[in-house]
Amino acid sequence: DTGVSQDPRHKITKRGQNVTFRCDPISEHNRLYWYRQTLGQGPEFLTYFQNEAQLEKSRLLSDRFSAERPKGSFSTLEIQRTEQGDSAMYLCASSLTTGFNEQFFGPGTRLTVL
Amino acid sequence: AQSVTQLGSHVSVSEGALVLLRCNYSSSVPPYLFWYVQYPNQGLQLLLKYTTGATLVKGINGFEAEFKKSETSFHLTKPSAHMSDAAEYFCAVSERSSYKLIFGSGTRLLVRP
């Protein structure tokens, strides 16, 4: 039973550096989502893909953030010129296009910007 | 805009006691409703969901939730708390016209021996 996987699990970087995270969804899932979770808060939606098309982006997703899902399978989330405020847990989830939007989450990537 | 309110950022119960975690949503049109649990440094695991049909929904680990349209609520209960239930619980909604989940701020459940 392979669930959603994310890599790396932890990332420490210095302010101003670029970072990239990877998410591998459950294999038959067409939809893939990115969320950000800060300490003591619930996850906040960032963006989602259906196959390779990015269909919705939150206004939380500044110009420094870009997400791709080039072949409709894995996805990457890149943050350019990181800031201390970017420190958070970045969660990936996937779901089928049928059903009731039941999303399955990965373990997350914890980003610390020094 | 849709919002989710979880009353009580921390709830403490004794082992064996009733667990009640509260969730209210703002939409006038019943959305899809979910409860997720998060253990430290892990992702979220789905406990249960309400989509259509029966308003009392049973989930994993003995949890259940009741959808009450008149109260716009979806409270989570468990008759008898176990030490392993200690975790953070998130209520989430998804509008039927959208695919993103909107989460509450979470309730941390503490279980006292």
Side-chain angles (χ1 to χ4, degrees):
Chain A
D1 178 16
T2 52
V4 179
S5 61
Q6 293 186 245
D7 184 68
R9 294 291 307 276
H10 304 272
K11 178 72 177 177
I12 299 174
T13 191
K14 293 182 179 179
R15 190 177 52 181
Q17 297 295 305
N18 299 342
V19 295
T20 300
F21 310 140
R22 176 179 170 126
C23 171
D24 286 87
I26 294 171
S27 58
E28 63 268 27
H29 285 185
N30 308 84
R31 292 199 183 119
L32 185 148
Y33 312 79
W34 285 99
Y35 293 84
R36 179 171 67 187
Q37 184 180 22
T38 53
L39 207 59
Q41 298 297 317
E44 294 176 297
F45 170 79
L46 292 178
T47 188
Y48 96 93
F49 294 82
Q50 181 160 314
N51 300 314
E52 65 275 11
Q54 188 174 20
L55 296 185
E56 187 172 351
K57 292 195 296 185
S58 165
R59 52 190 168 79
L60 291 176
L61 211 64
S62 78
D63 291 345
R64 297 185 296 106
F65 287 68
S66 62
E68 294 183 341
R69 194 182 183 199
K71 295 184 179 179
S73 57
F74 73 92
S75 175
T76 58
L77 177 68
E78 181 183 15
I79 309 175
Q80 296 182 326
R81 306 181 303 280
T82 52
E83 301 171 356
Q84 287 186 325
D86 296 331
S87 295
M89 175 80 89
Y90 290 84
L91 294 165
C92 177
S94 68
S95 74
L96 294 168
T97 49
T98 56
F100 299 103
N101 196 27
E102 182 175 334
Q103 297 183 20
F104 296 84
F105 282 80
T109 295
R110 181 167 295 284
L111 173 66
T112 302
V113 181
L114 302 176
Chain B
Q2 178 72 263
S3 66
V4 179
T5 302
Q6 290 185 242
L7 271 180
S9 58
H10 292 80
V11 169
S12 180
V13 300
S14 297
E15 192 173 18
L18 171 72
V19 175
L20 170 61
L21 305 182
R22 298 177 187 274
C23 172
N24 288 86
Y25 64 92
S26 63
S27 175
S28 58
V29 176
Y32 299 142
L33 296 153
F34 306 86
W35 275 99
Y36 283 87
V37 60
Q38 187 176 35
Y39 297 98
N41 298 313
Q42 293 188 26
L44 283 76
Q45 180 183 9
L46 181 67
L47 277 178
L48 49 78
K49 65 181 184 286
Y50 170 79
T51 54
T52 58
T55 56
L56 183 62
V57 179
K58 295 187 185 301
I60 62 172
N61 301 339
F63 284 93
E64 60 184 38
E66 186 172 11
F67 167 62
K68 290 188 176 180
K69 182 178 176 181
S70 61
E71 298 178 7
T72 59
S73 69
F74 190 56
H75 302 330
L76 181 71
T77 60
K78 182 174 181 177
S80 175
H82 192 271
M83 296 298 290
S84 61
D85 295 328
E88 184 121 29
Y89 291 80
F90 292 95
C91 181
V93 304
S94 170
E95 293 181 1
R96 292 166 191 250
S97 59
S98 174
Y99 302 111
K100 63 187 177 187
L101 291 176
I102 299 168
F103 286 86
S105 55
T107 297
R108 183 167 297 280
L109 177 65
L110 308 169
V111 182
R112 303 185 304 271

